[in-house]
Amino acid sequence: MKYIEISLTKCKILLTEKELLGLLSKDVELYKESLKRGKAFYRKMNQQRREAEQFTTYEVTRINKYLH
């Protein structure tokens, strides 16, 4: 069985996906907020990755022009 580990200040708790969804379904606003937060987090991570790739491509192109 797969568990989701949640680190709290003085302990860690382990929940199954079913248990976590059951808790979130009791507080719909918390569920909506956590979904928004998760989407924002992954959008930011993807944007940073794209920027890093773009910068690397730019630097390689610039270096190649300098060498030739």
Side-chain angles (χ1 to χ4, degrees):
M1 184 170 285
K2 203 171 187 183
Y3 291 97
I4 300 166
E5 180 179 317
I6 301 172
S7 296
L8 301 175
T9 304
K10 294 186 177 189
C11 64
K12 291 184 182 194
I13 58 173
L14 298 169
L15 298 169
T16 63
E17 182 178 0
K18 184 178 179 181
E19 292 168 337
L20 182 58
L21 289 174
L23 291 170
L24 288 172
S25 69
K26 293 179 182 182
D27 188 346
V28 176
E29 290 305 312
L30 176 62
Y31 191 63
K32 288 179 183 178
E33 185 62 32
S34 63
L35 283 174
K36 282 176 30 180
R37 191 179 305 129
K39 289 179 181 180
F41 176 81
Y42 282 106
R43 274 194 306 270
K44 181 179 178 180
M45 295 288 287
N46 286 331
Q47 180 63 30
Q48 289 174 338
R49 180 188 47 80
R50 284 191 296 273
E51 288 173 1
E53 288 172 357
Q54 183 179 13
F55 179 75
T56 302
T57 303
Y58 170 76
E59 285 298 309
V60 168
T61 304
R62 203 172 115 203
I63 290 169
N64 283 338
K65 284 181 181 179
Y66 176 76
L67 293 175
H68 293 100

